[in-house]
Each structure stands twice: as structure tokens, then as C-alpha cells.
Amino acid sequence: MKIKSLKLREAHKGSANASFCSILWDLNAHHLVTASSSEPSISIHDPLLPSNPPRVLRHHRDGVTALALSPNSTCLSSGSIDHSVKLYKFPGGEFETNITRFTLPIRALAFNKSGSMLAAAGDDEGIKLINTIDGSIARVLKGHRGPVTGLAFDPNGEYLASIDSIGTVIYWELQSGRTLYTLKGVAPDTGSDTSILNVLSWSPDGETLAVPGLKNDIVMYDRDTAEKLFTLRGDHTQPICFMSWSPNGKYMATSSLDKQILIWDVNRKQDIDRQKFDNRICCMAWKPIGNALAVIDVMGKYGVWESVVPSSMKSPTEDIPSSRSKNSNGLLFFDEEDEEDQELSMSGSLSDLGEDSHGESEPPSRKRLRKQSVIDDDQHEDVYNELNLCTKTEYRKKVHRINKESSDKERDGSRSMMTFRPKMQEAFQPGSTPPQPGKRNFLCYNMLGSITTIKHDEYSHIEIDFHDTSTGPRVPPMTDYYGFTMASLNENGSVFANPCKGEKNMSTLMYRPFSSWANNSEWYMRFEGEEVKAVALGGTWVAAVTSLNFLRIYTDGGLQKHILSLNGPVVTAAGFKDELAIVTHISDCLPSNEQMLEFRIFNISKGTQPFKGHLPLTPGSYLTWFGFTEEGQLSSYDSKGVLRVFTSQYGGNWLPLFSASKERKSGENYWVVGLNASKLFCIVCKNPDSFPQVLPKPVLTLLNLSFPLASSDLGEEALENEFMLNNLHLSQIQKRIEVMADEGLDTTPLDDEAFDIEAAQDRCIFRLIASCCNGDKLVRATELVKLLSVEKSVRGAIQLATALKLPILAERFNNILEERLQSKTEVLKTSLPRSKHDRNVKADVAASMALTATERNGDQTACLEDSREVNDAGKNAGPSQVKNLQTQRPSNPFLKLPNNQEEKKVEEVMSESQSQGPSNPFFKSSNKVGEATGIQQSHRPSNPFLKSTAK
Amino acid sequence: MAGQSDPHISLFSAEEVEFMAEDELIEIVPNMRMDPLNFICGDFGPFLPQIATQVPMWLAVALKKRGKCAIRPPLWMSVENLTKVLEGERDSQGAFQALPFHYVEISRLLFDHARDDIPDMYMVRSLIEDIRDVRVHKVETSLEKFSGTSAVKIPNLSAMEVNIIRPFVGRALQAFYKHDNPEKIPDVDRASSGQTRVANNEPRRPLRR
């Protein structure tokens, strides 16, 4: 076996100089990814057909120094000498985003085990922890004195280990970002040669950290105490430059500057095989399935060393005792330097030696599948096995137990912390997108238009576009020397603000009206020792919230009008006409990772604060959009995709009106732009993008608002949702009518709207009654009948109940109708004396009833159609009943007319009543019980007869 | 085909076929606000800025000419789909790939009026031209082969292609029919000699209604 030499194939040409190259496998061993620091391309090879040309990704402008694959192998990340870190789809290789930039070359990348976080480091000071979902920088870890060359996330998700070129190893605690241990000078100092990178690697079970030592060896450090445990020392004659754990952690491959690869049996601390190469091997990766090792040398030649571990010994992927659970948790086994990261520990290996060492004949892939179902319990068990079988010193045992237990407890918490924001969210502008180098981004996008910016070297270029090009003002593009990052837009003008950048660049607020009778009507405000955090724009005012928690309100002419102190750091602000809404933090996040936010609504022109209260968020989410509906209702949207609208019902409450998780088609994100009473306007973004690009121009998608209803036994969620929405609209309109009436304004259009909604609501209720009857929910049906606003619909319900052979129900409905009629006649009687016209009461009542009848005719037919459908669907359906229904229909107790003549007669009655006087007090009285007052009511346009006669 | 756009041979001129294609619906993104339009063919709109809506092709083109909207190219007009279709056309000798009935006309209208709305316009254009050439060639070769039948059935043929081959196929089939049934020749000849002459001279008039 030792004689066999490995043929290497050229992957990257590179220069004549030795340069660091990377290689890694994907999860299923279908692809090999290679990169060289002397060449800007990344190659994706098919290991089965090495002669096929690889897929080449050329997005970097300089050599690629680091590669990392997310644990589920869907996302490839690369870091380069050109200072950028890029993300690609995998295995397709489509470029996705420049997730971050440094000021110096990148040297190391690593994904955490859930793939939600990417650590990147290089010659810059500081390791960046990047949230892969939105590209935000979660933390910058500073502490290394030299270029960071190796990063490794602990498989259990608690720590990050890093190593620099001068040989310092640092353990970081992820949750707090603190340095736990700093081990100075434990690894060789590689000097300035960038083709040698110090690396380090956690064992797959996370119990040991392997670091190259000073005596041409590998030193193992304890997970929790950072104590030196043991070393692997053998025939390497020069320092070790790379190492890789086998997937089960039993073996380790090490490569050294002496151009050798040694394979170690870690438990016995002995080398079992070796291979000599022409050039130094700078990166290796164990095949995740099977017994093979992929290697790449400093000249960019790669190869796969098959059957690395002698067949007499266990396969490197066979029985992965505790890493099995972690695999399914998404442990990163293919992270650049960490791909080797596979399992092992003293205790873990002890346990599996004791348990299941023989005769695993199942293919590894099947085993993997089976293991996935075991997940966490399994891990627990293993932990206990480890503990029980552990033959180490008592001390070790204790440390283990304590740490294990605590880490198990904390794991869930820390994981969710990592996926979402680890802290209180920063201030943001609704409708803005994060800046992307070389591309335009939105400073503001709303239903009206957009403000976009693109950064050039010294200045930015800002454009303001209105969606409606025909009516919106045309605004010339402007050059921005301030570097504005916040903006807001309405029909009158736009406001901009920039954060302060050091001493010379103070935070500035600028307002720019679109049309003004005076020249130079734009104005600037400069803030010393203060920084604008959020801006908002309203009818005649401009608001800015600053880092000192001041709310500053200006007129649109630039007069400094009010300065208020807010309770906490601002999250965002939004304006609509007179109203300004502001969201602030009121305290640190709860331990359950819920943010505590508060909102306030100010009425600027009146100087009042109509509402304030907590802003609800879905647990574990953050606010992503905040604004007003087209009708002026406050609304918010959080990162879990729940839209909430503020209503004054129940003394001011937030109603969840949309949930992306119910709506979402797979792989879509909704970026909210605005909403009106029934629709949500948003831009649909394909995963993993969570925000739109400026070009191509995004197109709005309309989504229906819907309450997150529980699935009821009735199975009519759509109807129930419509019912609740109608109720909501009705209450909103009635509130507005009240307000308007108080101000003495004409409420006619609103009345009409309310009437239309009532009609729609009756239809909806009727259908609900029908399905209740069919579903045998009779009590619910009775409740619904009580909610019908017109007695004609109640009659329809009675007919329906009769047709469905539910006499008891029909009886109940009848009682309800009688009660209703009774109360109505009482109202009529009481209201009559107030009427100025001394008319024949009976005729008037008849006329009004007839009116209702005709008005409701459309309604009625709809109801009948429904009932017929119901009939057809019902068990006791029969054509005779439908006929019955038809003949029953005209039974109007007040008119006593045959159906086909009804309309004619109504017309007669109508003309009669018209001739009697234009102000018939009962024109509308029957529309709503209890509204039959003598006040002149508006004519309903939906009544064809009224219209014709009123003319 | 011999006379692809010769109005004397095809039933309709290319412009006429295009005119018919203009009733197809297409999605536009208006940049103005306008109330719904109520036409005989249906109601379209309301038009709200940046919100996509479906309108007939002719309306889309009219709005586009005035700079009031952007036309969203239909899904089948993507480079991937067209590449697939072209491959399919080349692979299968007999069958035709499914494309919209008016694909030639729609793509032509979009190329003429909405070139800025089509991503990879030149690629799309050359793909569609290739597809058209392959299909026309296929039609020609398949027409060479048919013999002794009284009917020809070609699924997925588009309007423009049908328009080109219809008069020829009709006459050819007639001829086949004549030769296959020698006993009917005198009848056919006598009965339709006048008619066929008329049809040959001015085939368009009676059919245009």
C-alpha cells in the first residue's frame, strides 16, 4: 500500500510559486471543489469523471484563498485576496452575493453547523461573524495580533476557535463574543509565507481541538478547559501545515512541510500509513462517504487517495457514534479548514469500541438515513455512555459532566440566538435595502416611488423615481457628498440623513421639497455629537430621531418646531399626513429572545399622542417593516412574516392580518411595501434573497389579507376569514363615520361604503349559515342568523332551514325574525311622532318594506342560489323542494303580493310615496333596524328604483 | 416554403395574422394610474403603478408606445425555455413542440415595440428565429412525405405556419383525392372547375369573412 503512488491532476495552473490551495467535498461526495490562491477561479469537479472539465466560477478578481460549504451543501462561500467574501448556490454555482468585504485579503472561512452563520477572517484585524440570511455582521471578534489563518466552529455550537500565523490560538464564546482562552505561541510561526496557513480543527464530537504543535506534531486540547491532552508525534520532520479528521474521528490525516501525508489512528496515537508527494500538500478532505482522501498540493494539483485506511481496519466513515446526531443537526463537515472536523474523542471512541465494533455491513449512506431519525435522544445517550464508560481521571469526568450538561441546556438557546438577532435590532428605515458594493440599493421604497443610491468613490448618486410617471413630479438625480443612508419620500418632498463618520463628517439631515414657489427651499440641519437614526415625513412636517433619543420635528420649511425626548433607542419611524409613529426599544431582549418594543403615535398638527403601547412581535423575530395602510392604519411586519394592523378595537390593539408562513410558496420571501384594507402589496423575492434589487425594476404583488384562523371543524376558513375581515372594515368605517359626524362633515360616501360592506357581510354570513346547517352546527347557525343585518336575509335563512328539513332551526330563525320585527315596529312607532310629515303610517311602512324587498332582491337571489347549491349538495335534496323555495319566496307579510308582480307594485308604491313628499322618513328605515329615525337619509345608489325616482 | 409571405398564396397576409394575434393577453406593468377600461372584449384594469395586470396585446403595445407601461415577456419567451424548445424541435423529427399559437406574431410585436423589456433580447430573438426555421423546414419535409391521405394532422402548429401551408395543403389534398378516386374525376372536374378557378384567382375573398 505504501508503494502505490498517487497521480495528481492539474486543477489550477497558478504561478510557479507555491500558493495555498483549498479542496473540499460536498455532503454526498458528488462534487469536489478546489481553488488556488494564485488564480481567481473556483472549480467544481466531478470526482467520478475527473477527465470532464470542471465547472468554473470566475467571480473573484484575485486568487481564492478560502472555501467553505454550508453543512447542507447548498451554499458555497469563497474568500479571496481581492478582499471580498462571496456566496454561491451549490452545486449550481450561481453567484449570489458579496456577503462582506475586508480591507485586506481573506484567509479563512467557516460555516457554523446550522449554516446560519459564516465566520470570515484574514489579514484584517478581527474575525467577522456574518449572518448568512441577511448578510448582517453579527459580531466582530478582535484579539489576534497577526493574520488569522484558521477558523473552526465547535460542532456543538458554543465556541469558535481561531489561529493566526504567529501561532496564537483563541477560544471564543459565541454567545457573548468573549475570549475564553488565549494560547500564545502554541503553533508554529509561519512568518510571511502565505502559502502556509496554520489551521486548527475540532474533532467531530467537539471534545478536542487539534492544533499543529511546535515539535512537528499535532497537539490535542480539551474542549472546555483548553488543557493540553496528548500529542500525535511521529515521522514528520517539519512542521505540520494541514490536518483533517476522518468523518468518524478515529483517524487523522496530517500533511507537513516535508511533503508527506501521514494517516494516524488517533486512539492508538500511531501512524498507520503515509504517502510522499512531489510538492507540499496544502489541503486535504476526507470523503464523507467511503474511504478516500482528497488532496491538493501547492501547485494546484489535486487527486483522490482511495482506500486510505487499510481494509483490515475500520472504515473512516463507519459508525460515527456521536457525530451521527450532529450530522443530522447540520454539523459542518465540509467547512474549509473544518471539513476535517469529524468526530472523535477519547471518551467517544471508548464507547463505540465497547459497543458496536463488528460487522457493519450496511452501506454508509443507508446508515446515515437511518441515523437521521434518531437525532437528539441519541446524542444524549451517547453523552451518558461516554460519561459512564469514561476511564479518565475523576477530574476529567467532572469537567465533562458539568460542561456537557450545561452545554446541552444552553444549546437550544444559543442556536436560536445565532439564527436570529443576537441582540436588540438596529434602527432601520422601512422600505430600505442594505447597501451592496457596485449596485444600487433602495433608501426608500413605498407605494409612491423609490429613492435609490449608488456609491462611487467620493460621493453617491441618488435618484428619486415615482411609480406613477404621469402624475408624479419629475425629480432630477442628485449627487450626494454626505453619504446619505436614510431617506423618506412622500408626494411633497424627500428627506435624507447620514450617520456621522468620524470627526469631519457630521450627521446631517436634509429636506428637499419637490415643488416650491421659492428658490433654494431645501434645507440642511447638522448635528454635533448626535447622530440621526431614523427619519420620517408627513403632510407638513419632517421628523428625525437621533442617537440621544431626541425626536426632532421640523416644518417643511425647516423651522425647528419641537424636540421631544423618547424613552429608548429608536427602531424606526413612519409618517402619514398628520400622524407620526415611532418604535423604540424599551428594554433589553427577554431571555426568550423576544425584543421589547414600544410604539407611539403622535398627531403633529394637534400636538397630541392618540396612542402608545407595546409593539407585538412574533417570538424570536425582529421588525422588518413599519408604516401606514393607505387608509391610515398603523401596521407592522416582522421577520417571521406576520403582518399586524393597529385598530382601536378593544381600546387599541394589533390584529395579525397576514402570515407569510400560511401563504408562502416554498422559496419565496415577501418584502412588504404597503397595504390597503384588503390587500397587501409586496415584492416577492426568491430565496435566499430577502430584499429586492433595484434592477430589474421590482413589480408589486398583491396578496390577500387573512387572519391566522385555526382550522375549525366547519372547514370554511375562507368564509370565516371574510366574515372577520368584513367585521373589521365595518368597525373601521363606523369609527370614521363617527369622527366625521363629530366634525360635522358629510358622511354620505362612507355610509354607502358601510352599506356595501353590510350587504357583503350578509351574503358571507348566509353562506356560513348554509355550511353550518350542513355541518350540523345548529347553535352556530342561530348565532349567525342573529348577526344578519337585514331581515330579508333572515327570511332567506328560514327558507334554507326549511329546505334542509331542519324545522327546529327554522322555528328558531322565525323567532329571531319576529323579535326583530317587533323591535323595529317599536322603533318605528317611537320615531313617527318625530316625523314632520303627517302621512299615512301604514302606506309608508309598506313602501319602506317594499323598498327593502327590491333592494334586497339581488341579495335574495344570491341567497337562493346558495340555498340551491346547498340543496344539491345536501342529502335530502330534491327538485320539488327547490320549487317550493321559489314559491315560498314572495311571502312578504307586509305586501302580500305574488312574486312576479312584486316589482311592479313596488314601483307603484314608490311613485305614490314619492308624490307624497320628497322626504320620506322611511326610505332607509328598514335597511338597518333601529336606524329608522326621521333624519333625512341619503339615497342608496345601489337601489335602482330610488335612483330613477329621485331624478 | 416557396411563398412564405406571398399574399396570393396564403389565405391571410402576415399583417392580418398579426392583427388576430393582438387579441392575445399579455402581462404589463403600468406606470400610471387609470380606472378600469370596459371594452366589448372584456374589462381590463384597474391600472396601478408597478402592479402587473393582463391586457390584450394591442392595448399593451399602444400603452408601451406612449411610455405608460412595461411589458412583461411571457414565460415561454425565456432563454432557457426557448433553448429547450429548440433542442426538442431538433431532436424529434415528426412532432412539434408546444408553443403558443401566435408565438411568431407575439414575439415579433415584442421585438418591435418592447425591446427594452426583454432580457437577453438578441439571444431570444435568434432562438425564436431558429425555432421558426427548424419548424418550417420540418413542415416542408413532412409535406414532402404525405401521400394518398385525405387529411393531414399536425399538432402544435402555430398560426403563421398554418397560414403558410394551408392553401397548398388544401389544393394538394384535393389533387390526391382526385387521383385516388378516378371515377369521381369527371364529377369533381365538372362541378368544381368553375369554383376552383375562382378559388385560384381570388382565394381570399370568400374566406375572409
Side-chain angles (χ1 to χ4, degrees):
Chain A
M1 185 146 293
K2 281 181 189 173
I3 305 125
K4 173 207 70 183
S5 75
L6 184 61
K7 257 194 199 161
L8 296 185
R9 186 175 276 282
E10 189 164 84
H12 298 272
K13 288 224 168 66
S15 56
N17 298 333
S19 52
F20 184 81
C21 298
S22 326
I23 190 164
L24 47 91
W25 288 96
D26 78 343
L27 180 64
N28 303 314
H30 292 156
H31 304 280
L32 260 178
V33 189
T34 61
S36 160
S37 59
S38 61
E39 212 194 37
S41 61
I42 299 167
S43 303
I44 303 177
H45 307 265
D46 187 342
L48 296 176
L49 303 162
S51 51
N52 279 10
R55 189 177 309 140
V56 177
L57 313 178
R58 286 179 202 278
H59 292 281
H60 280 294
R61 282 177 297 169
D62 209 332
V64 179
T65 47
L67 287 177
L69 254 182
S70 71
N72 56 6
S73 279
T74 55
C75 181
L76 176 70
S77 162
S78 68
S80 159
I81 302 177
D82 71 8
H83 314 169
S84 69
V85 177
K86 296 177 192 284
L87 286 189
Y88 313 85
K89 287 200 181 101
F90 194 81
E94 295 89 2
F95 172 70
E96 275 182 19
T97 172
N98 273 321
I99 195 142
T100 192
R101 276 183 181 277
F102 283 67
T103 51
L104 288 168
I106 318 292
R107 299 287 172 203
L109 290 173
F111 275 101
N112 73 346
K113 68 168 178 177
S114 68
S116 64
M117 186 169 290
L118 178 72
D123 297 355
D124 266 24
E125 179 190 28
I127 301 162
K128 284 190 190 174
L129 296 183
I130 306 150
N131 194 333
T132 52
I133 297 161
D134 56 2
S136 61
I137 307 250
R139 230 182 252 295
V140 180
L141 307 174
K142 290 189 179 174
H144 279 290
R145 298 283 167 111
V148 177
T149 55
L151 291 170
F153 276 101
D154 146 39
N156 297 335
E158 283 177 69
Y159 309 131
L160 174 73
S162 60
I163 186 167
D164 60 22
S165 64
I166 54 174
T168 306
V169 173
I170 301 185
Y171 278 54
W172 308 88
E173 191 181 58
L174 282 174
Q175 202 162 351
S176 61
R178 277 187 306 136
T179 310
L180 285 183
Y181 305 103
T182 307
L183 311 173
K184 278 193 184 150
V186 295
D189 184 342
T190 57
S192 57
D193 184 356
T194 54
S195 73
I196 310 165
L197 299 180
N198 268 331
V199 294
L200 76 179
S201 174
W202 292 94
S203 64
D205 66 352
E207 289 302 324
T208 13
L209 178 70
V211 178
L214 296 171
K215 299 170 186 162
N216 310 336
D217 55 354
I218 289 279
V219 185
M220 301 293 183
Y221 293 91
D222 184 76
R223 162 193 180 74
D224 297 304
T225 58
E227 279 175 292
K228 195 189 260 193
L229 294 177
F230 60 97
T231 61
L232 296 180
R233 204 163 158 196
D235 291 341
H236 279 307
T237 54
Q238 285 189 52
I240 285 171
C241 62
F242 201 88
M243 72 237 164
S244 178
W245 293 90
S246 73
N248 63 358
K250 284 186 195 309
Y251 307 101
M252 177 180 259
T254 58
S255 116
S256 147
L257 301 183
D258 61 11
K259 302 177 185 173
Q260 281 192 99
I261 291 183
L262 259 66
I263 307 295
W264 300 81
D265 181 329
V266 178
N267 298 336
R268 291 190 285 156
K269 300 171 201 162
Q270 254 180 11
D271 57 312
I272 51 176
D273 200 353
R274 73 182 59 185
Q275 179 98 258
K276 190 127 173 97
F277 292 86
D278 298 334
N279 283 302
R280 174 157 51 81
I281 298 297
C282 55
C283 190
M284 298 175 289
W286 287 85
K287 194 170 178 176
I289 305 162
N291 180 7
L293 183 72
V295 299
I296 190 162
D297 70 11
V298 286
M299 305 314 289
K301 292 197 173 100
Y302 82 105
V304 178
W305 178 0
E306 299 286 350
S307 353
V308 186
V309 175
S311 47
S312 55
M313 302 178 72
K314 267 190 161 182
S315 151
T317 51
E318 197 174 295
D319 86 79
I320 306 173
S322 61
S323 69
R324 68 171 74 147
S325 52
K326 283 170 197 152
N327 288 353
S328 50
N329 280 355
L331 159 73
L332 59 155
F333 13 37
F334 312 114
D335 270 9
E336 219 246 335
E337 275 93 347
D338 316 290
E339 75 243 7
E340 54 278 344
D341 228 40
Q342 298 319 321
E343 126 90 353
L344 155 102
S345 85
M346 302 311 296
S347 42
S349 45
L350 277 172
S351 73
D352 53 85
L353 278 177
E355 279 168 19
D356 40 6
S357 46
H358 303 293
E360 287 281 359
S361 56
E362 271 181 79
S365 54
R366 267 192 63 202
K367 276 178 71 181
R368 193 178 292 269
L369 282 176
R370 202 193 62 200
K371 283 162 188 166
Q372 293 201 331
S373 58
V374 197
I375 314 197
D376 272 321
D377 314 9
D378 208 358
Q379 189 170 357
H380 269 270
E381 256 171 49
D382 285 325
V383 168
Y384 277 100
N385 286 345
E386 279 169 29
L387 295 175
N388 297 339
L389 292 168
C390 187
T391 50
K392 286 270 149 191
T393 59
E394 273 309 300
Y395 166 71
R396 275 270 298 162
K397 213 167 176 176
K398 262 183 198 161
V399 168
H400 256 251
R401 196 187 294 273
I402 292 160
N403 284 320
K404 264 298 173 186
E405 275 166 9
S406 61
S407 72
D408 272 357
K409 260 183 235 155
E410 281 164 15
R411 194 160 301 151
D412 282 315
S414 61
R415 193 186 300 156
S416 58
M417 289 286 271
M418 232 131 288
T419 323
F420 309 113
R421 299 280 160 120
K423 52 180 186 252
M424 304 198 299
Q425 73 180 98
E426 294 279 306
F428 72 99
Q429 284 296 121
S432 63
T433 59
Q436 297 151 285
K439 278 193 201 164
R440 277 196 173 271
N441 69 293
F442 288 114
L443 290 181
C444 176
Y445 190 102
N446 57 25
M447 294 301 292
L448 207 66
S450 62
I451 302 180
T452 58
T453 182
I454 186 164
K455 200 167 161 45
H456 295 290
D457 297 336
E458 289 292 306
Y459 57 91
S460 298
H461 192 73
I462 288 184
E463 278 178 18
I464 302 176
D465 295 300
F466 284 87
H467 300 323
D468 189 346
T469 49
S470 51
T471 55
R474 224 159 256 167
V475 187
M478 66 183 207
T479 308
D480 151 34
Y481 296 98
Y482 294 89
F484 293 131
T485 59
M486 292 160 264
S488 187
L489 170 78
N490 70 2
E491 33 311 280
N492 304 327
S494 54
V495 61
F496 298 89
N498 64 320
C500 62
K501 275 180 277 172
E503 292 292 304
K504 56 182 197 295
N505 201 342
M506 269 189 281
S507 185
T508 310
L509 180 76
M510 183 189 109
Y511 178 72
R512 193 175 182 215
F514 293 139
S515 55
S516 177
W517 54 271
N519 288 335
N520 293 329
S521 48
E522 60 181 49
W523 49 261
Y524 295 85
M525 297 283 159
R526 287 153 75 76
F527 298 93
E528 224 162 302
E530 200 175 345
E531 192 179 17
V532 178
K533 290 289 189 185
V535 292
L537 203 52
T540 55
W541 49 265
V542 177
V545 190
T546 67
S547 53
L548 299 181
N549 296 345
F550 287 155
L551 166 62
R552 294 166 175 273
I553 297 169
Y554 306 89
T555 62
D556 52 2
L559 185 65
Q560 312 212 24
K561 215 169 169 197
H562 305 287
I563 300 176
L564 307 176
S565 245
L566 293 175
N567 285 354
V570 69
V571 179
T572 191
F576 178 78
K577 289 181 183 160
D578 278 347
E579 291 195 329
L580 166 67
I582 289 191
V583 181
T584 55
H585 288 285
I586 40 178
S587 76
D588 209 343
C589 300
L590 294 183
S592 60
N593 198 26
E594 284 173 68
Q595 294 193 96
M596 300 302 289
L597 304 182
E598 185 190 58
F599 76 98
R600 283 154 186 272
I601 306 177
F602 298 95
N603 190 315
I604 303 294
S605 63
K606 289 186 196 156
T608 56
Q609 183 181 313
F611 277 111
K612 77 170 214 183
H614 282 272
L615 182 81
L617 285 178
T618 313
S621 69
Y622 53 92
L623 191 65
T624 57
W625 183 83
F626 185 71
F628 287 89
T629 67
E630 295 195 334
E631 288 79 25
Q633 306 285 123
L634 196 58
S635 29
S636 74
Y637 189 77
D638 66 30
S639 59
K640 289 274 177 80
V642 179
L643 178 88
R644 292 181 177 80
V645 174
F646 186 75
T647 69
S648 46
Q649 285 179 329
Y650 296 103
N653 259 290
W654 291 87
L655 304 181
L657 267 182
F658 175 82
S659 175
S661 56
K662 288 207 167 184
E663 186 84 16
R664 182 159 13 214
K665 291 170 214 118
S666 59
E668 285 188 351
N669 289 318
Y670 301 126
W671 195 76
V672 173
V673 175
L675 66 153
N676 66 14
S678 57
K679 298 275 183 193
L680 173 69
F681 301 97
C682 61
I683 296 171
V684 175
C685 303
K686 291 264 177 295
N687 257 345
D689 295 338
S690 52
F691 55 85
Q693 300 294 334
V694 174
L695 286 174
K697 237 179 162 187
V699 172
L700 297 179
T701 306
L702 276 71
L703 297 170
N704 287 319
L705 295 181
S706 61
F707 283 95
L709 291 173
S711 27
S712 80
D713 46 3
L714 205 58
E716 293 282 357
E717 277 81 16
L719 277 180
E720 286 179 311
N721 183 48
E722 191 187 335
F723 170 69
M724 285 184 73
L725 276 178
N726 281 337
N727 265 347
L728 175 66
H729 294 162
L730 213 53
S731 75
Q732 283 172 2
I733 285 184
Q734 272 157 6
K735 185 147 172 37
R736 265 193 287 163
I737 292 178
E738 275 172 35
V739 172
M740 301 256 293
D742 283 350
E743 290 169 1
L745 298 169
D746 182 22
T747 58
T748 318
L750 283 178
D751 280 336
D752 288 345
E753 207 177 315
F755 176 77
D756 288 344
I757 294 175
E758 268 175 18
Q761 179 72 326
D762 266 17
R763 277 196 289 276
C764 172
I765 292 178
F766 195 87
R767 266 182 256 143
L768 269 176
I769 293 173
S771 65
C772 277
C773 290
N774 276 339
D776 223 18
K777 308 278 175 223
L778 299 188
V779 180
R780 213 175 293 170
T782 335
E783 285 169 353
L784 283 165
V785 166
K786 286 181 188 159
L787 294 174
L788 287 169
S789 51
V790 192
E791 75 257 31
K792 199 70 197 173
S793 321
V794 182
R795 279 202 192 92
I798 296 171
Q799 284 166 6
L800 175 72
T802 336
L804 287 174
K805 290 195 176 155
L806 296 165
I808 310 163
L809 195 65
E811 173 109 24
R812 286 204 168 261
F813 287 1
N814 227 340
N815 291 343
I816 294 169
L817 180 65
E818 271 168 28
E819 274 172 34
R820 192 177 276 227
L821 288 175
Q822 224 162 23
S823 62
K824 182 168 144 184
T825 38
E826 275 165 26
V827 174
L828 284 182
K829 274 174 197 160
T830 52
S831 67
L832 250 185
R834 268 191 269 152
S835 148
K836 284 177 193 163
H837 305 272
D838 195 14
R839 296 283 172 233
N840 182 346
V841 177
K842 240 186 172 176
D844 277 353
V845 171
S848 65
M849 291 318 295
L851 264 179
T852 336
T854 46
E855 243 176 62
R856 287 298 166 167
N857 241 354
D859 239 354
Q860 175 77 352
T861 15
C863 296
L864 279 171
E865 270 164 25
D866 280 334
S867 61
R868 203 178 307 175
E869 274 171 34
V870 167
N871 250 340
D872 290 345
K875 325 141 217 172
N876 33 12
S880 60
Q881 277 168 6
V882 179
K883 267 183 207 151
N884 254 347
L885 239 146
Q886 297 279 13
T887 48
Q888 274 173 19
R889 199 178 121 208
S891 65
N892 186 327
F894 286 84
L895 273 173
K896 295 198 179 93
L897 293 170
N899 188 33
N900 47 3
Q901 287 168 20
E902 188 181 54
E903 283 186 5
K904 228 183 186 175
K905 293 283 178 172
V906 167
E907 254 173 33
E908 284 168 23
V909 177
M910 276 293 306
S911 51
E912 221 181 316
S913 63
Q914 281 294 317
S915 62
Q916 280 168 2
S919 60
N920 186 331
F922 298 105
F923 256 55
K924 226 201 101 191
S925 59
S926 54
N927 287 337
K928 264 200 231 167
V929 183
E931 259 193 33
T933 55
I935 308 160
Q936 167 71 41
Q937 299 269 357
S938 65
H939 292 188
R940 298 292 175 201
S942 52
N943 184 333
F945 293 100
L946 270 179
K947 222 180 197 168
S948 59
T949 49
K951 269 174 195 169
Chain B
M1 179 120 295
Q4 272 193 19
S5 54
D6 185 350
H8 297 296
I9 288 184
S10 49
L11 287 179
F12 301 105
S13 68
E15 290 76 27
E16 285 165 334
V17 179
E18 189 183 278
F19 178 79
M20 289 184 275
E22 283 184 349
D23 277 340
E24 293 287 303
L25 293 184
I26 194 158
E27 206 169 45
I28 61 162
V29 182
N31 57 17
M32 83 304 185
R33 198 172 283 272
M34 189 162 70
D35 287 335
L37 298 169
N38 306 315
F39 299 133
I40 294 171
C41 53
D43 296 352
F44 299 102
F47 300 92
L48 297 167
Q50 292 307 116
I51 294 174
T53 181
Q54 296 259 347
V55 294
M57 196 76 200
W58 59 266
L59 181 58
V61 169
L63 288 172
K64 179 74 194 175
K65 275 182 186 162
R66 284 161 185 76
K68 298 290 185 200
C69 75
I71 298 178
R72 296 183 97 182
L75 289 178
W76 57 265
M77 254 176 90
S78 66
V79 173
E80 300 100 68
N81 184 50
L82 290 175
T83 320
K84 220 165 59 193
V85 168
L86 182 60
E87 275 169 18
E89 293 288 358
R90 284 187 172 144
D91 288 350
S92 66
Q93 267 317 309
F96 289 87
Q97 298 293 307
L99 273 175
F101 188 56
H102 290 294
Y103 82 95
V104 180
E105 302 89 307
I106 292 175
S107 54
R108 177 58 189 269
L109 280 168
L110 292 185
F111 293 145
D112 285 353
H113 300 290
R115 39 182 69 229
D116 48 333
D117 293 334
I118 306 167
D120 307 318
M121 148 95 173
Y122 291 101
M123 188 72 185
V124 171
R125 186 178 200 146
S126 70
L127 276 170
I128 286 186
E129 272 165 15
D130 287 354
I131 290 171
R132 211 188 57 193
D133 291 348
V134 171
R135 286 173 67 121
V136 169
H137 178 74
K138 245 199 285 196
V139 170
E140 281 177 26
T141 50
S142 71
L143 286 187
E144 276 169 17
K145 275 182 241 155
F146 84 77
S147 59
T149 47
S150 55
V152 180
K153 189 180 176 193
I154 312 176
N156 285 336
L157 214 52
S158 81
M160 208 55 113
E161 291 151 1
V162 170
N163 187 49
I164 292 167
I165 64 165
R166 199 203 307 265
F168 167 72
V169 172
R171 283 201 303 277
L173 286 177
Q174 209 172 20
F176 277 123
Y177 185 72
K178 242 178 358 188
H179 298 308
D180 283 357
N181 303 290
E183 73 276 10
K184 286 185 180 171
I185 291 176
D187 293 352
V188 172
D189 254 356
R190 213 164 295 151
S192 63
S193 58
Q195 280 174 17
T196 35
R197 284 182 68 93
V198 170
N200 275 339
N201 291 342
E202 29 183 7
R204 298 165 60 193
R205 204 148 292 162
L207 284 159
R208 271 187 71 176
R209 262 177 285 151

